[in-house]
Each structure stands twice: as structure tokens, then as C-alpha cells.
Amino acid sequence: MKKASFLILLFLVVFFLEGIFNNAQAQSGWVRDKKSAYLQLSYSYFASDNFYNLSGNKLTTNTFSQHSIHFYGEYGLLDRLTIIASVPLFRANQFKNTDSAIGVGDLMLQLKYALLKGKFPLAIIIAPEFPTAKADNFATNKESIFVDRINLPTGDGEFNLWTMLAVSHSFGDVPLYISAHAGYNFRTKYQEEEFNDQVRYGLELGYNIAQKLTLNTHLNGFATVGNQPLTGDFIRSNGTSYNSYSIGAFYKLTEKLRLTGQVQGYFDGLNERKNLYSAPVFTLGLAWEKK
Amino acid sequence: MKKLMFLSISILFLFAFTACNDDDTEVIVDSSLPQGTFTSAKSGTFAAQNDTPTAGMAQLGTDSEGVNFLRFTPTFTTALATGTVTVYFSKSATLMFNPGNGNPNIRIVGTVTQNGERFFKLNTAVPADFTHVILWCASAGIPFGNAPLN
């Protein structure tokens, strides 16, 4: 039965939220119990012709789309230490008039350590991201009479390091939880292009609406540190900023299997949308948990 | 034996002198480049669009043999990290596609993949009503810059 569950998890095409520029999953202050595990496979789809350039101006372009199958896994290595791996196993980027640039994405490892446990668990996360994707991956224009290619890599081509703090609280009698996080991304460079560092922060609210069903919502901010770069392609997200929201649900299929679904959108406000294709990201997923 | 030695030495001398003979140096003529002097008749500075680092000049002119060329000056740059940029002549600063009528307002020139000086050999003269050079990212369908031809 365990093997069957695992195989189902691996082979089902499932959907789970994974914004194309948002490599870090939602963060909480809880760490896993020692030797417990959580695995998730997800599929997300995104298509947009609304591009916000580095100045924040909205352009209408040919439609850009992305398909992604993403693996996410947590394991309780120690009582206070959880290791996490997150990687797009498959990603396909294309414009409507090009073929697809296909490949794996960048692997992110996370070490999550519980600074505080109890009513207000607080965790620190150190998360290096490795450029496991091809730094350059060209799609060919199918309509051009010349050889016309565009670089749509499935990763950003650089090593970077996220550090994050996350705190959570469960309201006990009321089946409600809240989490908040803030993080800083130390970025390096790709070839001659130096990347600006980035910050992100967010809130998550979850409510166990029925015995098997939990609803949650996120509100996140994402911003570039320092002077706004004047040039840079969207796929490497240098100079990218946005606010995002999401609405999602978790449904317990069995004691160990959960079906998840979520939709994420972007909006202006504190962080104006810049260097970003903006449209809803639709995701469904299947998760397996061993306590 | 003597004959054989004489023959060998003769062949060696022949090779040695032939290799040093300047008269036999091949001159490769690149017909895609101007012959002699390129003379600009019209030119304009690129204006960047959509946050690209587009800069430099476009020049329309002829070489010493009267062949028409479009030249991008050595200072030419645009956003090429993303791939290929297509070059058009246009009757306005905005590219107006009209495939149903044979795209009368634009003329495709070629593609550019590197910054710096570049020549495009033209089969015919460019009519005066084509007033602009447009840099077009065909995949995204947005302009990267344009230069008027004055």
C-alpha cells in the first residue's frame, strides 16, 4: 500500500501552485517531527500576454506560456531540523509563435531550523538554489523566414541563497492558523549580468472548514533591492517586483494522501508589477505525508 | 641515386619558393560587405523601446561599386541576451503589419544576433517612403527600438 501510494504520487499528473518566479514555497514556523516526511508532485499552467516591463509599463505581447511539473519534499532529519528539496522536474516555456524550450528547473535545498517551539513556533530557513537548469535554452520562431530564436531558459543561470524567518500560530479550539514570513535572496550573476538581491514577505491564513477540507489564502510581496536595473530579461527576473495573492484548498483523500489546488494572481500596490508576465497561475497537486 | 637526390632537392626548392611567393596569396572577397568605401546617404540614431539597451546609428548608403547597404555603426547595441532581433524598413516609426495586402508598409531586412558594426547587403535601393529602421523581437511581438532615416 505504501509503495502504491508513492507510485501514484509520482505518476499522476497533478496540479499545485507554483508561480514561475516564486521558487520558495509558502513558509511556516513549524518544522517536521523527526523521521516524518512530506512529498508533493504538482503541475501548474500559466499563460499571459500582459507583460509589465522594468519601468512598470504594461505591454501587450504575443502570449507567453509555461507548463511545469514540480517536486517538493520535506524530511524531519532531527527534532528541530527539517531538510527540504524543491525542483521543477519538467518545464516548458514558449511564446505562441515559437516551439518550446524544455528542461528541468533550478534545484533549491532548504535547511529549516526551529528557533522556537510552542505556541509561536519560529524557524530560520537557509536555502541555496543551484543552477541545475541549462542557463541558455532557445526556442525557435516557427513563423520567421530567418533563423529567429529567443532565449527562454527554465532556470535563471545563477547560484543564489535565500535566508528566511517564519513564524506561525494555531488558534487551538478554532481550526485556524496563521503564518508570516520574510526572506532575503542573495543573488550572484549570470555571465556578465549582475543580479540585484531580492526580498519577499507574506502572510498565510488557513482554516479547517470541514473534517477533510482546509482552505488557505496567501498575501505576498516581492521586491528588488537597490537601484532598479535598466535592462534585463524577464526570464531571469532581475528587477522583478509584484504583490501576489492566492486562494487554495487541501482535501484529504486518505490518511496520507491529499489533493491540493490553488490559483495565484498578481497585483500592484506596495510593489508595482515590474519585469513580469501577469496572469493567474492555475495549479493542482497531490501530496503524500508520513507522520 | 644521384638523380633521385637531385629530384628531391628540386622539389624541396620548388615548395620553399612557392610558399614564399606573395603573388599567390588568395584574396577572399566577402560580397556581403561593402567594396571600397561605404558612403552614407541617410542616417539616424536608434531610440530604445521597451527598456532595451538599444543605441547606435543606422546608415543607408552605397559602396564604391554602387551596391546598397544598411549599416549599423560600431556603437550599435540592443537586447540580444534574449536571442534574435529582426530588422525591418518601415514607412513609419511603428511597424504596421498588413499581411492581407502583402505588408506594403514594411520590408524585412534580416536578423541581428550580435552588438557592434553590421552591414546588410540590399538587392535594390530602398524607396524614399521607407523612413525608419525598426528592431523587432518577433517572438514576443514587441519593438526594441527604431531609427529614422534622415
Side-chain angles (χ1 to χ4, degrees), chain A:
Chain A
M1 182 60 193
K2 283 181 183 175
K3 278 188 177 176
S5 300
F6 188 67
L7 284 174
I8 289 168
L9 177 67
L10 282 179
F11 288 106
L12 275 178
V13 175
V14 291
F15 302 82
F16 178 77
L17 175 68
E18 210 287 308
I20 62 170
F21 305 112
N22 201 354
N23 291 319
Q25 299 276 328
Q27 298 296 340
S28 76
W30 291 291
V31 293
R32 299 207 66 79
D33 292 337
K34 188 178 177 180
K35 292 185 178 177
S36 71
Y38 177 90
L39 300 175
Q40 181 175 277
L41 200 63
S42 62
Y43 170 85
S44 66
Y45 176 71
F46 164 85
S48 174
D49 62 358
N50 291 327
F51 180 64
Y52 290 81
N53 68 13
L54 284 159
S55 303
N57 297 320
K58 182 182 170 185
L59 310 174
T60 300
T61 72
N62 291 334
T63 300
F64 172 77
S65 65
Q66 182 182 77
H67 299 266
S68 191
I69 296 175
H70 195 106
F71 170 79
Y72 176 85
E74 299 179 346
Y75 181 73
L77 197 65
L78 302 169
D79 279 338
R80 284 179 175 265
L81 182 64
T82 297
I83 56 170
I84 301 169
S86 172
V87 63
L89 300 173
F90 171 88
R91 186 165 275 179
N93 295 329
Q94 71 175 114
F95 279 95
K96 74 170 187 180
N97 55 349
T98 71
D99 58 14
S100 295
I102 293 171
V104 298
D106 290 340
L107 169 67
M108 178 184 275
L109 296 178
Q110 299 184 45
L111 294 173
K112 185 176 187 181
Y113 183 78
L115 298 171
L116 294 174
K117 285 192 163 187
K119 287 188 175 180
F120 291 92
L122 174 69
I124 184 170
I125 299 111
I126 306 294
E129 188 178 53
F130 304 93
T132 47
K134 274 173 67 178
D136 294 301
N137 196 341
F138 289 87
T140 301
N141 190 327
K142 295 180 287 188
E143 297 174 352
S144 177
I145 58 173
F146 298 106
V147 177
D148 184 359
R149 305 190 308 161
I150 186 163
N151 199 1
L152 299 174
T154 51
D156 58 17
E158 60 133 5
F159 172 82
N160 56 290
L161 182 71
W162 277 99
T163 56
M164 285 175 273
L165 279 173
V167 63
S168 297
H169 180 66
S170 181
F171 289 88
D173 292 342
V174 182
L176 179 73
Y177 71 87
I178 186 168
S179 293
H181 77 271
Y184 191 96
N185 186 16
F186 296 93
R187 301 194 79 185
T188 55
K189 66 176 188 177
Y190 163 68
Q191 293 185 347
E192 301 306 314
E193 186 179 2
E194 297 272 358
F195 295 127
N196 289 48
D197 292 347
Q198 296 165 326
V199 293
R200 56 169 290 166
Y201 44 86
L203 282 173
E204 177 182 352
L205 198 65
Y207 186 71
N208 190 203
I209 196 167
Q211 192 178 5
K212 292 185 175 182
L213 182 64
T214 300
L215 301 179
N216 69 3
T217 183
H218 298 84
L219 205 57
N220 292 316
F222 190 95
T224 292
V225 176
N227 295 328
Q228 177 72 3
L230 300 175
T231 62
D233 57 276
F234 73 95
I235 209 82
R236 300 184 203 281
S237 68
N238 194 29
T240 296
S241 63
Y242 58 81
N243 299 302
S244 67
Y245 66 89
S246 70
I247 299 167
F250 298 84
Y251 183 78
K252 267 192 169 182
L253 294 170
T254 69
E255 200 52 40
K256 292 185 176 178
L257 279 178
R258 279 194 282 174
L259 186 66
T260 69
Q262 208 152 9
V263 59
Q264 174 174 296
Y266 301 96
F267 63 98
D268 292 323
L270 193 58
N271 303 297
E272 192 181 0
R273 279 174 285 187
K274 289 180 180 175
N275 207 20
L276 172 81
Y277 271 98
S278 182
V281 184
F282 298 98
T283 312
L284 283 179
L286 198 70
W288 176 86
E289 186 169 30
K290 178 200 167 195
K291 292 185 176 175

Side-chain angles (χ1 to χ4, degrees), chain B residues 45-87:
Chain B
T45 302
F46 277 109
Q49 290 175 276
N50 295 315
D51 293 330
T52 61
T54 302
M57 289 185 74
Q59 297 176 325
L60 193 59
T62 55
D63 67 2
S64 299
E65 296 178 359
V67 177
N68 294 284
F69 282 89
L70 172 67
R71 179 191 185 223
F72 289 175
T73 58
T75 55
F76 168 73
T77 60
T78 190
L80 294 167
T82 52
T84 313
V85 173
T86 306
V87 181

